[in-house]
């Protein structure tokens, strides 16, 4: 192999109480895709921030073309040929692509018309479909990403860093991105690809570097890696990838939704004539790109949104738009927004664990809370769900994402819920926490609970569900038995195509 274009030697970065990067060595060669893999908190973003001039390392050095460099800012990084495609593009919605990119060329203001041919040239060279005159607010997440790639290339990037670029894409859009990445590699660019999705990493990268707790724990050519070997490196122990679902014993119809219509918060039609049934013990996976009616469906089923047509019955009785009443009737809700809706960050773990029944026995007597009951409840749940918290009196905002999710699960799934509304239940969780959430949900169904699983993670949907449906523009396609669908057929339905 040629000389590395970029070499990191002994990079260490400390934050109060944590060594985010611990003596990291890394090489990036011209014309390769290097995947950076690791669980949440492994130190990937910190390392990228150092490379992009957002953080300065405490120790270690960065060599570019063999020469030591001190990267002082993102602008400096791009001058050195290092570009970053952020997870959430920072583009100005009411401006055009050309206007946005003109703002970024050097420090001077560049006339937008003059940049159009430059954009077209770069886009053409790498198969990036970008319309310079399109307004940003009309673009899909995939299109915005392409604009960010063009921005880096306009700035002269030789090394492109993509931070979890596929997390906002459908499978087809992700494929389109991989095609562009291959074009860039062929043209001699180096790409640093960050993802926690093992299939993708195996499919696109040439080499893989795995971080765990700030340290490099492995580096290998992609052709020598397997899903199992990578997961073991990431987690530090053996991980199983079997389909986790045992054949369930299903009961009668628990939830019947017929011709359901509902409006969004902005008054638009969010659910159009949605019908499905869910039997006791069954898991229905609802896939789709966010914003196609998923939130409104869950809001109706959890009592947070009124319907504008159709019927919804639970155990044969029409449901009410009253969350407390529905919780009482056995509807558990694991919300998407864990910190706004799922927990109150300033309250303690013990208080959050009793949040749904804070004002009732045994947690309250009259207007007074009963600390002894709160504590007893918290102690048993913290133990049962293995919540890592310094104390049950710690405010929940100090917990990691995985532990906040465990608090919500422990609260919502205690007792015997009949219907569990699980919305992106493992989003942002590491492999260990994800396994635990899946195990708990499956166990509840073996005890008779039904699950409506809303997720953008098709792996998760396919590995847990009995039936799968897709929401697209407020219409429900399916449900289909899980055996009859694939990644590809779901991806097509998610973008409005036919299966
Ligand atoms: P990853 O991107 O792999 O999920 P990060 O680089 O974001 O990991 O985080 C590595 C560790 O450093 C984590 O323990 C995280 O909490 C900590 N950390 C990251 N950024 C900061 C910061 N600005 N201040 C304090 N701690 C941080
Ligand atoms: Mg990160």
């Amino acid at each position: 192999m040629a000389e590395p274009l970029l070499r990191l030697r002994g990079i260490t970065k400390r934050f109060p109480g944590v060594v985010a990067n611990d003596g990291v060595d890394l090489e990036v060669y011209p014309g390769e895709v290097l995947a950076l893999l690791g669980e949440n908190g492994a130190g990937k973003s910190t390392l990228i921030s150092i490379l992009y001039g957002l953080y300065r390392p405490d120790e270690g050095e960065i060599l570019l073309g063999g020469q030591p460099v001190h990267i002082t800012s993102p602008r400096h990084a791009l001058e050195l040929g290092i570009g970053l495609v952020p997870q959430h593009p920072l583009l100005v919605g009411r401006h055009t692509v050309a206007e946005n990119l003109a703002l970024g060329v050097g420090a001077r203001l560049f006339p937008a018309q003059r940049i159009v041919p430059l954009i077209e040239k770069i886009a053409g060279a790498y198969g990036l479909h970008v319309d310079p005159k399109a307004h940003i607010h009309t673009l899909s997440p995939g299109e915005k990403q392409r604009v960010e790639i063009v921005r880096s290339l306009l700035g002269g990037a030789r090394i492109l860093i993509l931070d979890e670029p596929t997390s906002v894409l459908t499978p087809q859009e992700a494929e389109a991105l991989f095609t562009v990445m291959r074009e860039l590699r062929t043209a001699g660019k180096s790409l640093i690809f960050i993802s926690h999705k093992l299939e993708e990493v195996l499919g696109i990268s040439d080499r893989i570097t795995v971080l765990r707790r700030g340290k490099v724990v492995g580096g290998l050519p992609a052709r020598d890696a397997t899903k199992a070997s990578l997961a073991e490196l990431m987690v530090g122990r053996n991980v199983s990838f079997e389909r986790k679902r045992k054949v369930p014993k299903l009961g009668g119809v628990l939830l019947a939704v017929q011709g359901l219509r509902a409006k969004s918060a902005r008054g638009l039609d969010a659910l159009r004539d949605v019908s499905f049934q869910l039997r006791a013990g069954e898991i229905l996976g609802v896939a789709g790109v966010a914003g196609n009616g998923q939130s409104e469906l869950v809001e109706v089923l959890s009592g947070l949104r009124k319907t504008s047509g159709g019927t919804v019955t639970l155990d044969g009785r029409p449901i009410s738009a009253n969350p407390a009443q529905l919780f009482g009737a056995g509807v558990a809700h694991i919300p998407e927004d864990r910190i706004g809706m799922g927990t109150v960050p300033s309250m303690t773990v013990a208080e959050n664990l009793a949040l749904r029944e804070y004002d009732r026995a045994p947690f309250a007597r009259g207007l007074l809370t009963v600390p002894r009951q709160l504590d007893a409840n918290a102690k048993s749940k913290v133990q049962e769900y293995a919540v890592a918290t310094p104390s049950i009196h710690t405010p929940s905002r100090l917990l990691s994402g995985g532990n906040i999710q465990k608090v919500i699960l422990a609260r919502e799934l205690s007792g015997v819920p009949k219907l569990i509304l699980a919305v992106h239940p493992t989003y942002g969780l590491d492999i260990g926490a994800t396994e635990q959430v899946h195990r708990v949900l499956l166990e509840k169904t073996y005890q008779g609970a039904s699950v409506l699983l809303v997720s953008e993670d098709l792996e998760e949907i396919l590995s847990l569900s009995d039936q799968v449906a897709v929401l697209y523009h407020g219409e429900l396609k399916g449900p289909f038995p899980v055996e009859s669908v694939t990644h590809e057929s779901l991806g097509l339905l998610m973008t409005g195509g036919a299966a």
Side-chain angles (χ1 to χ4, degrees):
M1 243 185 194
E3 276 299 294
L5 178 56
L6 177 73
R7 166 170 269 167
L8 305 188
R9 274 213 293 243
I11 294 288
T12 293
K13 177 74 186 171
R14 298 182 194 89
F15 292 113
V18 54
V19 186
N21 291 154
D22 190 354
V24 171
D25 294 331
L26 193 78
E27 282 101 50
V28 184
Y29 292 89
E32 73 163 352
V33 178
L34 172 73
L36 204 54
L37 187 67
E39 294 204 283
N40 288 315
K44 306 179 297 293
S45 293
T46 302
L47 199 61
I48 293 315
S49 302
I50 288 172
L51 269 180
Y52 197 54
L54 291 166
Y55 294 153
R56 308 295 295 273
D58 296 321
E59 287 166 33
E61 63 175 351
I62 302 175
L63 303 167
L64 197 64
Q67 298 302 311
V69 288
H70 297 276
I71 306 171
T72 53
S73 69
R75 169 155 298 165
H76 185 207
L78 195 53
E79 281 165 17
L80 293 169
I82 301 171
L84 174 76
V85 177
Q87 203 171 355
H88 300 287
L90 310 161
L91 299 163
V92 185
R94 62 201 151 76
H95 287 239
T96 65
V97 169
E99 286 161 354
N100 268 274
L101 295 183
L103 287 173
V105 179
R108 66 217 135 90
L109 219 50
F110 199 79
Q113 319 83 282
R114 274 182 52 204
I115 210 168
V116 169
L118 293 177
I119 297 173
E120 284 169 344
K121 184 160 165 246
I122 285 183
Y126 302 106
L128 282 154
H129 300 285
V130 168
D131 173 5
K133 299 194 181 71
H135 285 263
I136 297 293
H137 66 84
T138 66
L139 303 184
S140 71
E143 289 168 320
K144 286 185 200 160
Q145 246 170 21
R146 295 202 284 273
V147 174
E148 287 288 353
I149 295 175
V150 170
R151 184 208 293 283
S152 283
L153 295 173
L154 269 174
R158 289 177 292 163
I159 300 171
L160 257 185
I161 306 167
L162 296 119
D163 192 0
E164 304 243 0
T166 60
S167 60
V168 293
L169 303 181
T170 63
Q172 280 78 5
E173 285 178 315
E175 266 317 312
L177 173 68
F178 295 153
T179 304
V180 169
M181 287 173 66
R182 293 190 183 102
E183 291 279 335
L184 288 164
R185 174 175 61 188
T186 306
K189 306 280 182 194
S190 306
L191 295 108
I192 304 178
F193 173 69
I194 299 174
S195 173
H196 59 264
K197 297 181 188 165
L198 300 170
E199 279 89 2
E200 288 182 356
V201 163
L202 286 167
I204 185 69
S205 49
D206 301 301
R207 286 191 309 122
I208 303 168
T209 292
V210 184
L211 286 176
R212 185 164 83 230
R213 293 169 187 247
K215 288 197 169 80
V216 172
V217 291
L220 68 170
R223 62 173 180 278
D224 296 344
T226 63
K227 249 174 94 169
S229 69
L230 290 178
E232 193 166 338
L233 277 173
M234 272 167 80
V235 185
R237 62 178 165 76
N238 208 308
V239 176
S240 145
F241 285 100
E242 318 271 295
R243 177 170 149 90
K244 295 168 186 139
R245 183 72 164 152
K246 288 188 291 196
V247 178
K249 281 199 208 71
L250 299 184
V253 172
L254 173 80
L255 178 71
V257 175
Q258 188 59 47
L260 172 63
R261 294 175 179 279
K263 304 254 183 221
S264 71
R266 290 196 288 155
L268 306 173
D269 289 327
L271 295 172
R272 305 159 195 255
D273 198 12
V274 166
S275 300
F276 65 91
Q277 295 193 335
L278 188 57
R279 296 170 62 188
E282 192 171 39
I283 304 182
L284 170 65
V286 178
V289 177
N292 276 282
Q294 294 92 328
S295 312
E296 287 82 2
L297 177 61
V298 170
E299 283 164 10
V300 165
L301 296 176
S302 58
L304 292 164
R305 179 170 298 279
K306 289 206 177 90
T307 64
S308 48
T311 57
V312 181
T313 60
L314 184 75
D315 262 340
R317 277 185 289 277
I319 63 162
S320 54
N322 179 330
Q325 215 168 17
L326 279 177
F327 183 71
V331 178
H333 184 194
I334 303 165
E336 173 169 16
D337 176 5
R338 290 168 205 163
I339 295 172
M341 267 174 76
T343 54
V344 180
S346 58
M347 287 172 98
T348 67
V349 169
E351 287 165 338
N352 272 296
L353 280 166
L355 207 55
R356 286 276 216 168
E357 299 159 293
Y358 201 63
D359 54 350
R360 259 167 284 158
F363 302 123
R365 203 173 292 146
L367 290 173
L368 299 176
T369 51
V370 185
R372 195 165 40 82
Q373 295 288 357
L374 273 185
D375 289 3
N377 172 63
K379 276 185 192 133
S380 80
K381 285 185 181 154
V382 161
Q383 191 173 25
E384 184 184 346
Y385 283 82
V387 182
T389 177
S391 140
I392 57 169
H393 301 298
T394 302
S396 73
R397 71 182 146 81
L398 297 178
L399 268 53
S400 71
N403 284 297
I404 289 175
Q405 189 68 322
K406 286 180 193 175
V407 167
I408 296 172
L409 287 175
R411 182 186 67 224
E412 295 292 316
L413 304 186
S414 63
V416 194
K418 285 182 182 162
L419 172 63
I420 301 168
L421 305 170
V423 187
H424 307 302
T426 60
Y427 182 81
L429 302 191
D430 59 32
I431 290 184
T434 296
E435 274 191 322
Q436 194 191 359
V437 170
H438 287 171
R439 196 168 55 240
V440 170
L441 288 176
L442 289 172
E443 269 164 22
K444 290 289 163 184
T445 67
Y446 302 139
Q447 295 161 15
S450 309
V451 176
L452 186 94
L453 169 68
V454 175
S455 177
E456 291 184 34
D457 180 348
L458 293 182
E459 293 291 320
E460 174 166 67
I461 294 245
L462 291 171
S463 81
L464 298 180
S465 310
D466 304 307
Q467 303 276 334
V468 182
V470 173
L471 266 173
Y472 179 71
H473 284 192
E475 287 177 21
L476 194 79
K477 321 275 179 176
F480 312 101
V482 68
E483 308 79 42
S484 71
V485 297
T486 61
H487 241 90
E488 289 67 37
S489 68
L490 292 178
L492 270 177
L493 289 170
M494 284 163 68
T495 47

